[in-house]
Amino acid sequence: MSRINTNISSMVAQKNLAKSNSQLQTSLNRLSTGLRVNSGKDDPAGLISSELLRRDITAVGKAIKNSERAGQFIATADSALSQVSSLLNDVRGLVTEAANTGALSDEQVAANQLQIDSSLEAIDRIAKTTTFQGKKMLDGSMDFQVTAGNGFSTVSDSVINQATLDSNDEMDVSVTIANAAEVAELTVAANAFTNGALNDDLVLKLGGKDGAEVFNFDAGASVDDIAAAINLVTDSTGIEASVNANVLTLESTAYGSKAYVDAEVISEGGSGTFATNLSATRDTGADIIASVNGVQAVGDGNKLSINTSTLSLSLTVDDGSSTAVAFTITGGGAKFQLGADVVGNQQARMGLKSVFSGSLGGSEGRLHELKSGGAKSLENDPNGAAKVVDQAITRVAELRGRLGAFQKTTIDSNVAALSDLSVNLSEAESSIRDADFAVESANLTRAQVLVSAGTQVLSIATQNPQNALQLLR
């Protein structure tokens, strides 16, 4: 057909050329950016999926950095605590040395006391100066805060290792004690004595948690003399004796299943009745039986502890106490965001107790009591000083162990898991959004050929109306 007002061939050629130009631009954009999806029109569903995956990748990346930063925090605290441990071991050695008063002069003991004072000052200095990004770590500011409730006055020592608090940064804690801790106890009936005295010679071996001792008593030794002899070595046996109405009672000084009283009559004269009136040859104490927020606690003497995903703590109650305890954790602790989502189960909050000399110790006392003039200084109570230092060393060692376990089992494993997750998410996002250069290069070549051909076709189609002029000649 020879029409001049409407050039259909040209219009078709223009349409196809525009389409080819669009494909060429798309290929050029994808090859220049490296992305298959550069805008929503490229792949609406793919764009949505890609953006959501990018969100997850970003959050996981920050969680990895958070975990690594938490590891640096733990390493800083552990380094400082290792110095505290070293100082405490030095103090323990000085206490033991100073107890050798038969071979040491008063001046040497005083010199040891000065070294202890310097060590305690160094420990306090470490507690004050150990910081991470301006935050003090070992002065107690990162310990959990507690509001006492009913029965809390019976708690002699408490350590809250970890707690997951609610949206108000609180957690109510209720401790119910079913059975109080007990000491081990043996009794010797009054019939073992005549007018309060032994009927015959007796060789008795007593053993307890802290050691054993052999006693030799002659016939006629009073029950009070026997109790006094046993109490002279209480610190080395862990057994103390008492007398009531000529009944001799032997009790362990410690509570719990690790405490025991073992009595062995090695020999007794023919007229003796001590062995036959002994209630038993061995008795063992009992650990506290308690629950915390409905979870059965592990008992160890007067100490109870639990370790769950939401709460890890240990409490030491007064000797033999069966009083229920209630308190509220009202914040505190060092909180670490270890997961991608800002929710409680992807966070970890742990408490760092103060290592000041006024805080370190346990049921035997506090470390500051070892200072010159203190109740447990080398001059006043070296035996008590050794017990306090032992508890302080144990407390620091347990804290370091807990930090190390947290770093190894929580932080390191979390980083490894998140790294794997990041790789998988990135791979998924790449498969949706990134361009396949092999495909796009082929598309580019095809588009270039089509544009070139379309341009030539359009040029020919544009000339078609001129053919009508041949009819006018």
Side-chain angles (χ1 to χ4, degrees):
M1 293 183 295
S2 299
R3 299 172 182 172
I4 62 175
N5 286 333
T6 303
N7 191 342
I8 301 301
S9 298
S10 176
M11 294 175 62
V12 171
Q14 291 179 54
K15 181 192 71 171
N16 290 329
L17 180 59
K19 181 179 179 181
S20 297
N21 273 319
S22 176
Q23 292 173 349
L24 178 61
Q25 289 302 316
T26 298
S27 295
L28 288 172
N29 284 339
R30 289 177 177 177
L31 288 171
S32 63
T33 62
L35 298 175
R36 186 182 69 85
V37 181
N38 289 284
S39 62
K41 70 182 180 65
D42 292 335
D43 185 353
L47 179 68
I48 294 173
S49 298
S50 176
E51 289 298 326
L52 293 178
L53 286 169
R54 281 188 172 185
R55 175 203 64 189
D56 294 341
I57 291 169
T58 301
V60 169
K62 290 300 182 182
I64 292 173
K65 290 184 178 180
N66 286 346
S67 298
E68 291 172 344
R69 187 67 57 84
Q72 295 162 3
F73 176 94
I74 298 300
T76 302
D78 182 68
S79 178
L81 289 171
S82 68
Q83 296 301 316
V84 175
S85 293
S86 178
L87 289 167
L88 288 173
N89 281 308
D90 290 343
V91 171
R92 186 63 174 85
L94 292 169
V95 171
T96 301
E97 183 181 50
N100 189 31
T101 54
L104 293 181
S105 66
D106 292 342
E107 290 76 15
Q108 288 174 308
V109 174
N112 280 10
Q113 182 64 61
L114 288 176
Q115 290 185 63
I116 290 175
D117 291 344
S118 296
S119 295
L120 298 186
E121 290 173 2
I123 290 172
D124 288 341
R125 185 165 53 253
I126 291 172
K128 287 186 290 186
T129 60
T130 302
T131 60
F132 187 82
Q133 294 187 334
K135 290 186 176 182
K136 294 185 181 298
M137 305 172 69
L138 302 176
D139 66 343
S141 59
M142 289 196 173
D143 193 11
F144 285 101
Q145 301 166 10
V146 172
T147 300
N150 295 332
F152 194 74
S153 60
T154 63
V155 176
S156 59
D157 190 33
S158 64
V159 178
I160 303 174
N161 301 319
Q162 179 266 333
T164 301
L165 308 185
D166 61 20
S167 58
N168 295 320
D169 266 359
E170 291 185 352
M171 173 186 281
D172 292 327
V173 180
S174 176
V175 181
T176 302
I177 300 177
N179 292 320
E182 298 177 355
V183 298
E185 179 182 287
L186 297 179
T187 59
V188 182
N191 293 335
F193 310 98
T194 300
N195 296 323
L198 282 176
N199 295 320
D200 212 331
D201 296 343
L202 173 67
V203 179
L204 176 65
K205 178 184 177 182
L206 290 180
K209 179 182 178 182
D210 298 329
E213 193 75 30
V214 176
F215 301 90
N216 290 275
F217 299 109
D218 293 332
S222 71
V223 65
D224 291 326
D225 291 338
I226 295 173
I230 293 171
N231 289 335
L232 281 175
V233 292
T234 293
D235 60 343
S236 59
T237 62
I239 300 173
E240 60 184 2
S242 61
V243 179
N244 183 18
N246 288 334
V247 174
L248 177 65
T249 301
L250 306 174
E251 288 186 346
S252 62
T253 55
Y255 284 72
S257 58
K258 295 178 182 177
Y260 65 92
V261 176
D262 185 87
E264 178 186 355
V265 177
I266 297 176
S267 67
E268 186 176 19
S271 300
T273 56
F274 188 94
T276 57
N277 284 281
L278 186 62
S279 61
T281 58
R282 184 184 179 92
D283 187 51
T284 303
D287 295 320
I288 189 172
I289 299 176
S291 61
V292 180
N293 288 352
V295 177
Q296 187 67 36
V298 177
D300 182 10
N302 290 297
K303 180 180 178 181
L304 59 98
S305 59
I306 64 167
N307 185 13
T308 68
S309 60
T310 57
L311 180 62
S312 175
L313 61 75
S314 63
L315 301 175
T316 302
V317 299
D318 293 340
D319 291 346
S321 175
S322 59
T323 303
V325 177
F327 61 93
T328 302
I329 302 173
T330 56
K335 183 169 69 173
F336 304 109
Q337 175 65 43
L338 303 180
D341 297 328
V342 186
V343 292
N345 62 5
Q346 295 191 27
Q347 297 173 343
R349 191 191 294 253
M350 63 187 307
L352 295 177
K353 291 189 74 68
S354 167
V355 297
F356 276 112
S357 60
S359 302
L360 276 179
S363 58
E364 296 293 340
R366 295 292 183 264
L367 201 59
H368 72 92
E369 298 179 55
L370 275 69
K371 292 182 179 180
S372 296
K376 291 182 173 61
S377 63
L378 297 182
E379 180 181 3
N380 294 328
D381 187 6
N383 292 343
K387 294 179 180 179
V388 170
V389 176
D390 286 344
Q391 288 189 334
I393 291 174
T394 300
R395 176 64 59 82
V396 173
E398 289 176 346
L399 177 55
R400 292 188 65 191
R402 183 163 54 84
L403 291 175
F406 179 75
Q407 186 173 19
K408 181 178 181 180
T409 62
T410 301
I411 294 178
D412 290 350
S413 62
N414 187 61
V415 170
L418 289 176
S419 296
D420 290 340
L421 178 59
S422 179
V423 170
N424 293 329
L425 290 174
S426 297
E427 182 180 3
E429 195 271 342
S430 175
S431 67
I432 296 173
R433 197 153 194 160
D434 290 350
D436 186 332
F437 267 62
V439 173
E440 296 305 329
S441 296
N443 291 339
L444 175 65
T445 301
R446 177 178 178 276
Q448 287 175 325
V449 171
L450 288 175
V451 168
S452 178
T455 302
Q456 294 295 325
V457 169
L458 179 60
S459 176
I460 295 171
T462 303
Q463 302 299 319
N464 282 343
Q466 296 181 7
N467 294 331
L469 295 176
Q470 299 297 328
L471 300 175
L472 297 178
R473 292 178 181 177

